Amino acid sequence: MPDRPRLLAVDDERQGVALLSRSLRRLGEVHPATSGEEAWALLEQQDFDLVVSDQRMPGMSGVELLARVAERDAHVGRILLTGYADVHATVDAINDGQVHAYLHKPCPPEVLVGTVKSVLERVELARENVRLVGQLRERNHALETALGELRASQQRAIEAERLSAIGSMIATIVHDFRSPVAIVGSAGRELAAAADRLPDDLAACASQIVEEGDRMARMGSELLEVTRASTGSVARVEDALDDVVEAALIGLTEEASRAGVELRTDLGSGARLAIDEDRLRRALLNLGFNAIEAMPEGGLLEVTSLCEAGDAIVSIRDTGCGIPDEIRERLFEPFVTAGKRNGSGLGLAIVKKIVEEHGGRVEVGKAEGGGTRFELHFPVGRAAAGAA
């Protein structure tokens, strides 16, 4: 409320409105009106802190005026003046006007002034309460946001510590196993090369040795990738996101064709980001190959990109079997798998870490019409720069 409250005095009798103005001018800036209509026109032009109005006036009555005032702004003080003959007819109407006080005419100036002071104090208190409640809501919202960010940060720290501990152990194990796995794989290939001179059962064993040796080598690489994703650095240079996505998709073309999967693209983000091309390609290929494996009878793999709400978004959608609900929330944790044949449960954990290294996030959901949709969100502009 300003230092001098703005008061509106309404009475159809000029003598009455002049008396109100003289009595109230010590309390604030008084504006007179000789009808409800004139008062309402003033209220639409400027704000008032309190309206004191006579009840019986030609046209709009005092109760009707104050009811409009209450509907327009509940925190404007409202005082109704009534004659003794009006009391019984006015009491029921007072609730419509939601008045703070009503006074009998003629009203002694000191009673009028005391009542106006009291109502102004109530109005000021109500407005202060609204202001404080608004501040409290804003601060609660800020606190909830901060708590959410803190929980997310703590969860990321826990995941990072977990991956770091796993990675340190795995790096040693994989290093020790790589040599014997390579020897087994090499021996299996020599046997497979001579399969035409071997009995059928031994030829089948040789083929199985090669297949399992390759699988163990891939698992070793994925395990080391988790180690790198948790402790390694990212070398990023500015590049066109759509070009990087298109280059990665070249590696999917042959596999998609062999599996009877139609590969459809619509790359239109136009974004230039700081990108580690090799690692982002790895993330895209992981998602692409997963999608193809989810469609053993063929289907559609659709890869699109666009810019929306400050993010460059790469979407990978398939028409496969979808992700079981029981693992959806844990999908990006290491070693969680949906029962994929020969799956290690590390591919999506690697995807998540790579995207987060670029300051982004991964979202997953059910695709329209069935299947799964992954969205990689990368911040464009200042947020992206801050992640470098």
Side-chain angles (χ1 to χ4, degrees), residues 154-285:
Q154 289 174 333
Q155 185 60 35
R156 287 194 296 269
I158 291 170
E159 291 178 2
E161 289 177 5
R162 179 187 178 194
L163 287 176
S164 179
I166 293 173
S168 298
M169 175 187 68
I170 285 174
T172 301
I173 295 173
V174 171
H175 181 271
D176 292 342
F177 269 81
R178 267 189 158 178
S179 292
V181 167
I183 292 171
V184 170
S186 177
R189 285 181 176 79
E190 289 186 13
L191 287 173
D196 56 341
R197 300 194 299 274
L198 297 175
D200 290 345
D201 56 343
L202 291 180
C205 285
S207 177
Q208 187 174 7
I209 289 171
V210 172
E211 181 179 342
E212 292 301 313
D214 289 345
R215 185 172 73 87
M216 291 180 70
R218 286 195 303 272
M219 287 182 64
S221 296
E222 288 183 343
L223 289 168
L224 289 177
E225 180 69 17
V226 170
T227 303
R228 180 186 174 192
S230 61
T231 63
S233 59
V234 184
R236 296 193 288 168
V237 296
E238 185 174 307
D239 206 340
L241 176 63
D242 294 343
D243 292 347
V244 174
V245 175
E246 188 171 16
L249 295 180
I250 294 174
L252 293 175
T253 304
E254 184 177 345
E255 183 67 21
S257 177
R258 185 164 48 245
V261 172
E262 178 188 356
L263 180 58
R264 187 183 300 169
T265 63
D266 182 11
L267 306 178
S269 76
R272 292 190 66 82
L273 306 174
I275 296 172
D276 184 324
E277 184 175 351
D278 289 340
R279 291 181 63 67
L280 187 54
R281 183 186 294 118
R282 172 70 186 275
L284 293 166
L285 288 175

Side-chain angles (χ1 to χ4, degrees), residues 106-164:
C107 178
E110 62 274 13
V111 174
L112 174 64
V113 170
T115 302
V116 169
K117 281 184 177 180
S118 175
V119 172
L120 284 173
E121 289 174 357
R122 290 169 60 187
V123 167
E124 176 64 16
L125 181 60
R127 289 178 176 176
E128 181 66 9
N129 285 343
V130 169
R131 186 183 66 82
L132 291 174
V133 168
Q135 286 184 351
L136 182 61
R137 285 175 178 165
E138 289 178 1
R139 290 174 183 175
N140 280 343
H141 178 71
L143 180 60
E144 289 173 359
T145 301
L147 286 173
E149 292 173 352
L150 178 60
R151 291 190 188 100
S153 178
Q154 289 174 333
Q155 185 60 35
R156 287 194 296 269
I158 291 170
E159 291 178 2
E161 289 177 5
R162 179 187 178 194
L163 287 176
S164 179

